[in-house]
């Protein structure tokens, strides 16, 4: 599962601009997987969820791409795979790097405050079989993001729920996993309304 890390460290790990002149001006799913994937499933689903929940998620298609990525990654968590994998076609998808950097730099002062509220506690919720249950929840919520994209801002509800659960896994803090149940319920309501 990787060691505990902070939300600020995750944002900063993707915020650096490549130094070589031929570097891409877009941030790809593959780059996110490479930079963050080695830290474990929690940080990875957290970053995908944040990209969908924040203003970057206003780009058409981004919530669906992030939802599919979260569902695929979380399925591997459920089955206990050591390292997350995504297909090449999905790894090639990207967003403008400057858009991500703008959002990230506005968020960092807030994430530094949030980091002080995350600490190892309620370990039973972030270890062993519990992580697989979180994986099941993230698969369902990630799948919900796809149809909810047609409703303005609705996909942010499951994305926010996943972000809180991912934050809990990342910081080994079961409190944030529990907190994720509230927006998860809201996401369920949106899906129910959409179906009916």
């Amino acid at each position: 599962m990787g060691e505990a890390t902070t939300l600020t460290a995750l944002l900063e790990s993707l915020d650096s601009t490549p130094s070589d002149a031929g570097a891409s001006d877009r941030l790809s799913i593959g780059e996110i997987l490479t930079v963050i994937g080695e830290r474990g499933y929690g940080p990875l689903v957290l970053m995908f969820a944040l990209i969908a929940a924040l203003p970057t998620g206003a780009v058409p298609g981004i919530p669906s791409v992030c939802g599919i990525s979260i569902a695929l990654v979380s399925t591997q968590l459920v089955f206990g795979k050591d390292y997350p994998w995504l297909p090449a076609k999905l790894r090639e998808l990207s967003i403008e790097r400057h858009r991500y950097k703008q959002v990230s730099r506005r968020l960092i002062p807030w994430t530094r405050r949030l980091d002080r509220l995350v600490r190892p506690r309620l370990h039973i919720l972030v270890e062993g079989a519990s992580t697989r249950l979180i994986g099941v929840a993230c698969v369902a919520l990630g799948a919900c993001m796809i149809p909810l994209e047609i409703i303005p801002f609705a996909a942010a509800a499951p994305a926010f729920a996943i972000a809180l659960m991912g934050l809990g896994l990342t910081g080994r803090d079961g409190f944030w996993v529990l907190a994720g149940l509230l927006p998860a319920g809201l996401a369920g309501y949106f899906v129910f309304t959409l179906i009916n």
Side-chain angles (χ1 to χ4, degrees):
M1 286 295 298
E3 296 181 359
T5 187
T6 66
L7 179 53
T8 302
L10 293 177
L11 291 174
E12 290 177 337
S13 67
L14 292 175
D15 198 24
S16 57
T17 303
S19 56
D20 54 294
S24 172
D25 61 354
R26 299 186 68 83
L27 176 64
S28 70
I29 298 294
E31 185 175 345
I32 295 172
L33 184 65
T34 299
V35 174
I36 294 179
E38 63 186 17
R39 304 186 194 192
Y41 287 92
L44 192 58
V45 297
L46 172 57
M47 287 307 301
F48 283 135
L50 285 177
I51 289 171
L54 295 171
T56 47
V59 178
I62 289 296
S64 291
V65 168
C66 289
I68 293 169
S69 299
I70 289 166
L72 286 175
V73 166
S74 298
T75 298
Q76 296 167 63
L77 172 60
V78 172
F79 287 100
K81 194 172 183 294
D82 291 333
Y83 184 80
W85 170 90
L86 289 174
K89 291 282 188 183
L90 203 53
R91 291 171 63 99
E92 292 170 0
L93 298 174
S94 62
I95 60 172
E96 294 176 340
R97 190 178 297 273
H98 77 85
R99 184 185 293 270
Y100 170 80
K101 290 168 71 71
Q102 288 173 347
V103 174
S104 173
R105 289 173 182 174
R106 289 176 184 170
L107 283 177
I108 282 176
W110 297 96
T111 61
R112 286 177 177 151
R113 295 184 179 95
L114 181 59
D115 288 338
R116 292 196 287 267
L117 302 176
V118 180
R119 61 183 183 276
R121 56 185 160 177
L122 299 177
H123 297 281
I124 193 172
L125 297 177
V126 289
E127 293 178 353
S130 294
T131 62
R132 299 194 178 195
L133 292 176
I134 294 170
V136 171
C138 288
V139 170
L141 289 165
C144 286
M145 290 168 61
I146 302 168
L148 287 179
E149 186 175 353
I150 64 174
I151 303 174
F153 308 110
F160 189 53
I162 295 166
L164 291 176
M165 293 180 186
L167 181 63
L169 286 176
T170 300
R172 300 293 181 269
D173 191 341
F175 170 81
W176 292 103
V177 173
L178 291 176
L181 296 178
L182 290 176
L186 182 60
Y189 171 77
F190 281 146
V191 172
F192 178 81
T193 302
L194 185 63
I195 292 174
N196 291 277

